[in-house]
Amino acid sequence: MIRITELRLPIHHAPEELEAAILKRLNIPAKDLIQFTIFKRSHDARKNTALSLIYTIDLSAKNEEQLLKTHGHDQHVRVAPDTSYHFLAKAPEHLPSRPVVIGFGPCGIFAALLLAQMGFKPIVLERGKQVRERTQDTWGLWRKNKLNTESNVQFGEGGAGTFSDGKLYSQIKDPKFYGRKVIHEFIKAGAPEEIAYVAKPHIGTFRLVGVVEKMRQEIIELGGEIRFQQKVTGFDIDNGQIKSVQLESGETIVADQVILALGHSSRDTFQALHHAGVYLEAKPFSVGFRIEHPQSLIDKARLGPHAGNPIIGAADYKLVHHAKNGRAVYSFCMCPGGTVVAATSEENRVVTNGMSQYSRNERNANAGIVVNVDPEDYGGGPDNPLAGIDFQRKLESHAFELGGRNYEAPGQLVGDFIAGTPSTEFGTVMPSYKPGVHLTDLATALPDYAIEAMREALPAFEKQIPGFSMHDAVLTGVETRTSSPLRITRGNDFQSLNVKGLYPAGEGAGYAGGILSAGVDGIKVAEAVALAILQKTSK
């Protein structure tokens, strides 16, 4: 296989022009081109008046070895890497024990799927409900102000990623192309095929529901067991080795290989791990608000005359500002054409997040505008690894008070926030958060250093996106669950530093951020578990 990179074509090119461009680049006749696939397609918007599509192509052709020699001077014509997935292990005929996976978000799904595909028949314990029941419970908060603490945006089949934009891009290093395995499995389960090659793939919430269900069914068909509404409340550790896990129901499940695929909001499970003596450490994360603008404003600023082009879709952005007080302010989880959603998992607290459907055709763009916080800010240290949770809860409880104590979120117009004036009525931007937004003064919603840094950053972002600090844009608080406030530290063997057989994984353990990286981490940990089981059986 040969890979061609940096193949540029006008954005409105005809389909046949792509093959013509490949033939021209290689200087071969059509009969010598056997087949080709698009590995990646992106667009260059730096000069939005002359927008172009940029392709990476993998192809088969006659006389490939000679072609590579002929084009040896061209850095954009090279041997295509092998991006296919190769299983590292196969389960023995008689399993000594079945691995347990705690959590069925992106990390847990891929850990269980890989173990099942290798024949290890995992047992999955998920505290929440199946995805369709969970969706109904989530709508209960959004429409009726009624929270189910075990079935919501954070807990249930699919994890927090189900109620997001379904973004499938990441900046992780992936030399073994595990990300391609994640993408392939999503497509096999019904995700659009374009996620294999577009530069910033996404699935969207409603499509993710069906995809997750099909992946669950494959795990079951391969011998896995998935048990919903099974909350883990305790861990039996003997002489540094995990022996079993206890469920809220009173049942004990014996297991010497346990994957902790927890979400970043599994606060009670973190406490149970701490109580059992598992090594945890506080880590940095970020807090802030959601900001909403008209999507048309973002499209015009980013794409100019190409705004609204269906090939490109709704425009996104990524912003960062280093404030004078030493804080970094940056955009987080930007959702084009989406909505701000209620994402709390605990009573009498308010948490915001962002979500988009596949179409990304809602009126507003939204993103988190967040500020970094460190363990020193919230009193986290070796003796208090759970301090970040207390810090989050304090902000979320205060947001509940500011919003009117009914799960409405506190909000403020950007212009008023910068000026330090409480807002009393909305302007041209109507917020999308349900159950609703209560206008107030957000100055007390975050620590002073965060408010100061954000007031400096918003006008600075205006220089990159004209209109970003428009008076009528809406801030909604609070965004506190950007990432896990702690890390369940592991070694090079993917096991806990002080408990053998316990495998911290994914976002809740502090080793991922987003669907793709969580899925990749699930694959890595599943491989480690499979190899450990084989090593035991070979003794």
Side-chain angles (χ1 to χ4, degrees), residues 291-294 338-340 362-366 413 425-434 437 439 470 472-476:
I291 191 168
E292 289 189 87
H293 299 91
T339 55
V340 180
E362 298 292 335
R363 179 182 302 174
N364 291 350
N366 77 80
L413 305 191
E425 62 180 356
F426 297 109
T428 57
V429 180
M430 294 304 297
S432 57
Y433 178 95
K434 302 296 182 186
V437 174
L439 286 175
M470 63 181 286
D472 290 357
V474 178
L475 292 170
T476 308

XYZ file of all heavy atoms in Angstrom, residues 291-294 338-340 362-366 413 425-434 437 439 470 472-476:
239
model
N -20.446 29.063 27.480
C -20.748 30.301 26.769
C -21.522 29.971 25.500
O -21.239 28.964 24.841
C -19.460 31.085 26.429
C -19.789 32.492 25.939
C -18.597 30.337 25.421
C -18.584 33.422 25.864
N -22.535 30.776 25.187
C -23.352 30.556 23.989
C -23.360 31.792 23.101
O -23.541 32.919 23.579
C -24.789 30.200 24.366
C -24.939 28.822 24.973
C -26.393 28.416 25.134
O -26.977 27.864 24.179
O -26.928 28.646 26.233
N -23.156 31.538 21.813
C -23.253 32.560 20.764
C -24.176 32.038 19.662
O -24.393 30.826 19.559
C -21.886 32.826 20.116
C -20.832 33.328 21.030
N -19.970 32.465 21.714
C -20.457 34.582 21.394
C -19.124 33.190 22.441
N -19.394 34.466 22.270
N -24.639 32.913 18.782
C -25.299 32.411 17.579
C -24.288 31.601 16.756
O -23.155 32.054 16.545
C -25.722 33.684 16.849
C -25.735 34.761 17.894
C -24.652 34.382 18.858
N -25.246 23.260 18.995
C -25.669 22.341 20.040
C -26.438 23.029 21.151
O -26.968 24.136 20.998
N -26.483 22.364 22.297
C -27.207 22.876 23.451
C -26.372 22.687 24.713
O -25.516 21.807 24.782
C -28.560 22.161 23.644
O -28.345 20.752 23.715
C -29.509 22.465 22.490
N -26.659 23.520 25.712
C -26.073 23.364 27.041
C -27.022 22.492 27.854
O -28.245 22.696 27.822
C -25.869 24.729 27.726
C -25.260 24.557 29.114
C -24.980 25.617 26.861
N -28.621 23.227 15.656
C -29.303 24.110 16.592
C -28.799 25.544 16.415
O -27.743 25.792 15.824
C -29.067 23.643 18.031
C -29.610 22.261 18.341
C -31.121 22.199 18.315
O -31.764 23.254 18.522
O -31.672 21.099 18.076
N -29.547 26.480 16.955
C -29.268 27.905 16.715
C -27.941 28.362 17.320
O -27.225 29.161 16.729
C -30.410 28.745 17.291
C -30.219 30.252 17.123
C -31.372 31.002 17.764
N -32.663 30.593 17.195
C -33.834 31.014 17.660
N -33.882 31.822 18.702
N -34.948 30.613 17.087
N -27.594 27.853 18.495
C -26.438 28.367 19.229
C -25.224 27.456 19.145
O -25.353 26.235 19.033
C -26.783 28.546 20.709
C -27.774 29.665 20.956
O -28.082 30.440 20.058
N -28.280 29.744 22.166
N -24.065 28.069 19.214
C -22.812 27.367 19.476
C -22.539 27.487 20.969
O -22.851 28.512 21.585
C -21.667 27.988 18.687
N -21.957 26.439 21.575
C -21.588 26.576 22.981
C -20.258 25.891 23.245
O -19.855 24.970 22.529
C -22.688 26.034 23.900
C -22.729 24.525 23.978
O -21.940 23.905 24.705
N -23.646 23.898 23.233
N -25.215 37.738 31.073
C -24.751 38.164 29.757
C -23.261 38.487 29.831
O -22.772 38.999 30.838
C -25.529 39.382 29.271
C -27.058 39.274 29.212
C -27.631 40.473 28.462
C -27.495 37.980 28.554
N -32.209 40.740 32.026
C -32.997 40.220 30.920
C -32.084 39.797 29.778
O -30.989 40.327 29.609
C -34.020 41.244 30.425
C -33.416 42.526 29.891
C -34.475 43.510 29.416
O -35.663 43.149 29.441
O -34.107 44.631 29.014
N -32.561 38.794 29.003
C -31.786 38.302 27.875
C -31.864 39.273 26.709
O -32.809 40.065 26.592
C -32.294 36.924 27.435
C -32.135 35.859 28.483
C -33.237 35.338 29.150
C -30.875 35.389 28.812
C -33.084 34.368 30.118
C -30.708 34.420 29.788
C -31.824 33.911 30.445
N -30.843 39.184 25.847
C -30.826 39.989 24.638
C -31.152 39.137 23.428
O -32.148 38.398 23.407
N -30.282 39.182 22.437
C -30.542 38.462 21.188
C -30.228 36.975 21.275
O -30.669 36.198 20.428
C -29.709 39.074 20.047
O -28.317 39.037 20.408
C -30.130 40.513 19.795
N -29.449 36.564 22.275
C -29.093 35.146 22.434
C -29.931 34.540 23.545
O -29.839 34.959 24.704
C -27.590 34.983 22.762
C -27.245 33.497 22.918
C -26.730 35.614 21.663
N -30.745 33.560 23.179
C -31.553 32.868 24.178
C -30.838 31.580 24.573
O -30.482 30.765 23.722
C -32.936 32.552 23.621
C -33.769 33.796 23.333
S -33.964 34.876 24.802
C -34.874 33.768 25.902
N -30.616 31.365 25.876
C -29.867 30.185 26.313
C -30.654 28.900 26.052
O -31.887 28.892 26.057
C -29.669 30.426 27.801
C -30.817 31.310 28.192
C -31.064 32.195 27.008
N -29.920 27.805 25.858
C -30.542 26.525 25.528
C -30.662 25.588 26.720
O -31.323 24.557 26.633
C -29.723 25.835 24.427
O -28.375 25.654 24.830
N -30.034 25.919 27.846
C -30.012 25.041 29.015
C -31.416 24.783 29.549
O -32.206 25.711 29.737
C -29.154 25.681 30.104
C -29.083 24.903 31.406
C -28.044 24.023 31.654
C -30.060 25.078 32.395
C -27.967 23.325 32.857
C -29.992 24.381 33.595
C -28.943 23.510 33.820
O -28.881 22.824 35.004
N -31.702 23.505 29.763
C -32.941 23.094 30.413
C -32.577 22.413 31.731
O -31.608 21.659 31.764
C -33.744 22.141 29.521
C -34.119 22.702 28.158
C -35.050 23.880 28.285
C -35.447 24.406 26.908
N -36.254 25.643 27.010
N -32.531 28.987 32.705
C -31.430 29.819 33.184
C -31.993 30.979 33.985
O -32.904 31.688 33.535
C -30.572 30.342 32.010
C -29.526 31.331 32.504
C -29.908 29.183 31.284
N -31.095 34.510 35.474
C -30.106 35.577 35.349
C -29.742 36.145 36.711
O -30.599 36.370 37.568
C -30.638 36.684 34.441
C -30.654 36.358 32.942
C -31.307 37.486 32.157
C -29.251 36.082 32.412
N -19.405 39.710 22.546
C -20.633 40.492 22.346
C -21.443 40.541 23.644
O -21.477 39.589 24.422
C -21.482 39.870 21.232
C -21.994 38.466 21.514
S -22.971 37.745 20.149
C -24.504 38.676 20.316
N -24.578 40.386 24.369
C -25.721 39.497 24.565
C -25.364 38.022 24.633
O -26.244 37.192 24.890
C -26.740 39.690 23.440
C -27.446 41.034 23.537
O -27.191 41.775 24.494
O -28.258 41.336 22.632
N -24.102 37.640 24.372
C -23.720 36.243 24.545
C -23.983 35.848 25.998
O -23.927 36.679 26.905
C -22.260 36.034 24.187
N -24.281 34.570 26.219
C -24.730 34.124 27.541
C -23.722 33.186 28.178
O -23.241 32.237 27.543
C -26.101 33.415 27.441
C -26.543 32.902 28.818
C -27.155 34.361 26.874
N -23.412 33.451 29.436
C -22.617 32.545 30.265
C -23.557 31.793 31.195
O -24.449 32.393 31.814
C -21.597 33.315 31.100
C -20.461 34.001 30.338
C -19.690 34.926 31.276
C -19.525 32.974 29.729
N -23.372 30.480 31.306
C -24.186 29.638 32.189
C -23.267 28.832 33.087
O -22.290 28.245 32.621
C -25.073 28.691 31.364
O -25.808 29.438 30.393
C -26.047 27.951 32.258
